[in-house]
């Protein structure tokens, strides 16, 4: 349980740091951190029950959905929140291992790792596209009628 909390804190801080690196306006850095935290929580909770690709799909969908919702309240484009928020679930070590295996001559292991990375990244893209294909009217603020 402590490891789960520490990973969540690291995901939040890391996402906020990427937001600072990408020059996201100051108020939205914390929002980006919380979106990254939410994506990491979904990803971590789904891993024991499903494949990494499906967990990545669900986490990317949640990140994109939160980005679209929070973009309305923060009055920024959804990409400002979504791009830093997606960083905690990017399969960086898998990409590194794929390239490493290809360079040292383990072609079969490198290509199988590459296929796994493509499945994960493809699932993430499909999750984001699924949310961004929803009509814009679903995410607008509605004025109160008196």
């Amino acid at each position: 349980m402590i490891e789960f909390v520490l990973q969540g804190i690291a995901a939040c801080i890391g996402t906020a740091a990427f937001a600072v690196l990408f020059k996201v306006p100051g108020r939205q850095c914390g929002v980006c951190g919380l979106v990254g935290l939410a994506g990491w929580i979904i990803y971590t909770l789904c891993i024991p029950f499903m494949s990494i690709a499906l967990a990545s799909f669900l986490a990317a969908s949640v990140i994109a959905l939160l980005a679209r919702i929070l973009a309305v309240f923060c009055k920024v484009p959804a990409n400002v929140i979504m791009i830093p928020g997606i960083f905690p679930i990017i399969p960086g070590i898998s990409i590194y291992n794929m390239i490493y295996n290809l360079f040292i001559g383990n072609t079969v292991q490198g290509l199988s790792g590459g296929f796994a990375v493509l499945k994960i990244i493809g699932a993430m893209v499909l999750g984001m596209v699924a949310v961004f294909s929803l009509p814009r009217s679903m995410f607008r603020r509605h004025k109160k009628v008196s």
Side-chain angles (χ1 to χ4, degrees), residues 22-62:
F22 291 141
K23 298 184 178 166
V24 171
R27 293 182 191 150
Q28 282 77 29
C29 288
V31 173
C32 292
L34 293 176
V35 169
L37 171 64
W40 181 253
I41 288 171
I42 297 297
Y43 178 80
T44 306
L45 292 177
C46 290
I47 286 292
F49 304 107
M50 56 189 69
S51 70
I52 294 175
L54 188 54
S56 298
F57 172 82
L58 291 175
S61 298
V62 167

Side-chain angles (χ1 to χ4, degrees), residues 59-78:
S61 298
V62 167
I63 290 168
L65 185 64
L66 287 174
R68 285 199 73 183
I69 292 169
L70 293 172
V72 172
F73 293 105
C74 295
K75 297 179 181 171
V76 294

Side-chain angles (χ1 to χ4, degrees), residues 94-137:
S94 299
I95 295 169
Y96 172 81
N97 287 334
M98 173 198 69
I99 293 171
Y100 175 76
N101 284 319
L102 289 174
F103 274 111
I104 64 168
N106 292 341
T107 309
V108 173
Q109 192 173 3
L111 291 176
S112 69
F115 182 68
V117 166
L118 284 177
K119 285 193 316 187
I120 294 167
I121 292 174
M124 290 170 57
V125 169
L126 286 175
M128 290 184 283
V129 167
V131 172
F132 275 91
S133 66
L134 296 173
R136 185 179 296 194
S137 63

